[in-house]
């Protein structure tokens, strides 16, 4: 795997980790500000929807890199990506279910944004454990596959050292 791909994977995993860690505070803030309305929508609702988008984008970056660069398969869509991660043992069923719910929520936020039908607070609270498991399970899978996320330059300063499968 190329160094830049490893660094992008590492950054996306760290982003999911940071976002998941911030969810309790975000959910508490959103609950405290639920009554603050600008027009028909509370700003807290926008913040929660943005969290859904950001989590989905980082999760999908991680998933697609793992599928394409580590297990060398092609996902035809996000559901297929999740299925491949599950089949290959990169995630367990609980994490896969949470990723499916996140994918459905992202579609609602990005395609049906006028409907305001998503209860992002309830969804984020529900899938938080699955997202945390996703990060831990993917990291364990990468270690088992010999993919080092840390920049492990060799004695000669080889930036691609420890790159793992698919490097070229």
């Amino acid at each position: 795997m190329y160094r830049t791909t490893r660094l992008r994977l590492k950054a996306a995993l760290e982003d999911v980790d940071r976002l998941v860690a911030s969810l309790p505070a975000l959910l508490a803030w959103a609950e405290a500000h639920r009554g603050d309305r600008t027009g028909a929508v509370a700003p807290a609702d926008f913040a929660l929807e943005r969290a859904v988008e950001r989590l989905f984008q980082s999760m999908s970056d991680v998933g697609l890199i793992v599928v394409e660069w580590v297990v060398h398969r092609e996902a035809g869509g996000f559901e297929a990506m999740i299925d491949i991660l599950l089949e290959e043992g990169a995630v367990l069923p609980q994490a896969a279910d949470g990723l499916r719910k996140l994918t459905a929520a992202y579609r609602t936020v990005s395609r049906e944004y006028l409907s305001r039908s998503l209860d992002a607070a309830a969804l984020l609270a529900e899938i938080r454990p699955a997202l945390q498991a996703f990060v831990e399970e993917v990291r364990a899978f990468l270690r088992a596959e010999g993919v080092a996320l840390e920049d492990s330059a060799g004695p000669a300063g080889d930036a691609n050292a420890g790159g793992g499968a698919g490097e070229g």
Side-chain angles (χ1 to χ4, degrees), residues 16 55-56 59-60 63 78-79 81-83 85-86 91-106 127 130-131 134-135 137-138:
V16 174
L55 279 163
F56 173 80
M59 176 278 300
S60 63
F78 296 113
E79 287 84 4
M81 175 195 69
I82 296 165
D83 291 341
L85 291 172
L86 185 59
V91 297
L92 297 173
Q94 178 198 12
D97 290 343
L99 299 179
R100 286 186 183 96
K101 289 176 182 176
L102 179 63
T103 300
Y106 176 75
I127 67 171
L131 293 173
F134 166 72
V135 171
E137 291 163 9
V138 167

Side-chain angles (χ1 to χ4, degrees), residues 5-21:
T5 306
R6 281 188 294 114
L7 294 175
R8 182 171 177 173
L9 177 57
K10 180 182 176 191
L13 275 167
E14 289 171 350
D15 195 48
V16 174
D17 216 11
R18 276 191 307 273
L19 289 164
V20 170

Side-chain angles (χ1 to χ4, degrees), residues 5-84:
T5 306
R6 281 188 294 114
L7 294 175
R8 182 171 177 173
L9 177 57
K10 180 182 176 191
L13 275 167
E14 289 171 350
D15 195 48
V16 174
D17 216 11
R18 276 191 307 273
L19 289 164
V20 170
S22 72
L23 285 179
L26 176 61
L27 292 168
W29 175 85
E31 184 60 33
H33 291 85
R34 186 138 322 261
D36 300 344
R37 297 249 174 230
T38 306
V41 182
D45 292 334
F46 288 124
L48 293 170
E49 287 177 2
R50 179 64 181 136
V52 167
E53 289 175 324
R54 182 85 176 269
L55 279 163
F56 173 80
Q57 290 163 351
S58 291
M59 176 278 300
S60 63
D61 278 353
V62 169
L64 289 172
I65 291 171
V66 169
V67 166
E68 292 175 0
W69 286 87
V70 180
V71 300
H72 304 288
R73 291 178 63 183
E74 282 190 38
F78 296 113
E79 287 84 4
M81 175 195 69
I82 296 165
D83 291 341
I84 292 169

